[in-house]
Amino acid sequence: MNFIKSIKVAAALCSKKGLKKLAVQLYDPNQSDERKAFSAALGVFLGIIPIWGFQTISAIFLSVFFRLNKAFVLIFSHISLPPLLPLVIFLSYKAGSLWMPGNFHGTGSTQNLNAHLQQYIYGSISLAAVAAVVTGWLTFATLKFIKFVKKYRLEAGIKVKLTLAYPGAQAVKVNLPQAAFICYILLVLGVRYKHALNGTRVY
């Protein structure tokens, strides 16, 4: 059931209309980078913890409840898609060994089966928490880097346009004393020019 639901969600996201809605939410300027990073972290956490069949429902509910970025939450909540599911289960089980007093090898007993299940549950929650923190930081850093690149390209584009519009123009930096001195010289030259036109002499 979870496999079929994941395929349907993935197909919806890959459709033309789904991609447009997804892009609008991904680049929502009204949401901060911190909120988007938290949305990605929450999506990864919900995708790893053992709530099989309820990842998508939980992601939608929590994204609406906390007013998060729905696109980020839904995308990252599908980290347990079939291609990655065996790796997630393996890492969860290995992480759970840190919380268990010893290793359990299969004898077929119910107690041993419960111990293995307990190890997996502890490990999946631990792995989900660590993966959520790492994903949140990486998403935040990536969003900041994208903004920095866009700002740099925008400034570079403005400089190129100014250069094309005014090929001989050069940026000149003038401090306050220099500006005052230049104004004084221009004022003196203007007064001399005015009196020269009137036929008077200025000392």
Side-chain angles (χ1 to χ4, degrees):
M1 186 67 180
N2 190 28
F3 176 78
I4 298 175
K5 186 183 295 184
S6 301
I7 295 297
K8 288 182 178 180
V9 172
L13 292 177
C14 292
S15 65
K16 189 174 181 180
K17 186 182 294 185
L19 287 176
K20 286 183 179 180
K21 292 182 178 179
L22 201 62
V24 170
Q25 293 219 359
L26 283 175
Y27 297 100
D28 188 0
N30 297 322
Q31 289 188 337
S32 63
D33 294 337
E34 291 81 359
R35 185 176 293 272
K36 291 179 180 179
F38 181 77
S39 301
L42 180 63
V44 169
F45 183 82
L46 293 175
I48 295 178
I49 59 175
I51 51 173
W52 305 286
F54 295 96
Q55 285 95 343
T56 303
I57 297 175
S58 301
I60 295 174
F61 174 78
L62 292 177
S63 62
V64 173
F65 184 79
F66 291 108
R67 297 180 180 179
L68 301 176
N69 190 293
K70 300 180 185 64
F72 273 92
V73 177
L74 286 174
I75 290 174
F76 284 92
S77 66
H78 285 79
I79 191 175
S80 294
L81 280 172
L84 294 176
L85 184 59
L87 179 62
V88 171
I89 294 176
F90 174 76
L91 293 177
S92 299
Y93 187 78
K94 286 296 183 181
S97 63
L98 301 175
W99 300 99
M100 303 302 291
N103 295 324
F104 296 89
H105 300 283
T107 59
S109 63
T110 304
Q111 184 179 1
N112 198 26
L113 180 62
N114 292 335
H116 282 292
L117 181 61
Q118 187 178 3
Q119 178 176 335
Y120 168 72
I121 293 175
Y122 288 167
S124 62
I125 295 175
S126 302
L127 179 64
V130 174
V133 173
V134 173
T135 302
W137 278 108
L138 289 178
T139 304
F140 180 77
T142 302
L143 293 174
K144 289 296 183 184
F145 178 75
I146 292 174
K147 284 189 176 180
F148 173 78
V149 171
K150 286 184 177 180
K151 183 179 178 181
Y152 176 78
R153 288 183 176 178
L154 179 62
E155 292 177 353
I158 292 175
K159 290 180 180 179
V160 170
K161 288 181 180 179
L162 290 176
T163 304
L164 293 175
Y166 307 98
Q170 293 182 355
V172 180
K173 294 184 179 179
V174 181
N175 55 30
L176 187 59
Q178 290 175 342
F181 179 74
I182 292 173
C183 291
Y184 173 75
I185 295 297
L186 293 176
L187 179 62
V188 171
L189 291 176
V191 171
R192 285 181 177 272
Y193 179 73
K194 180 180 180 181
H195 285 282
L197 291 178
N198 296 332
T200 60
R201 191 172 180 181
V202 179
Y203 297 94

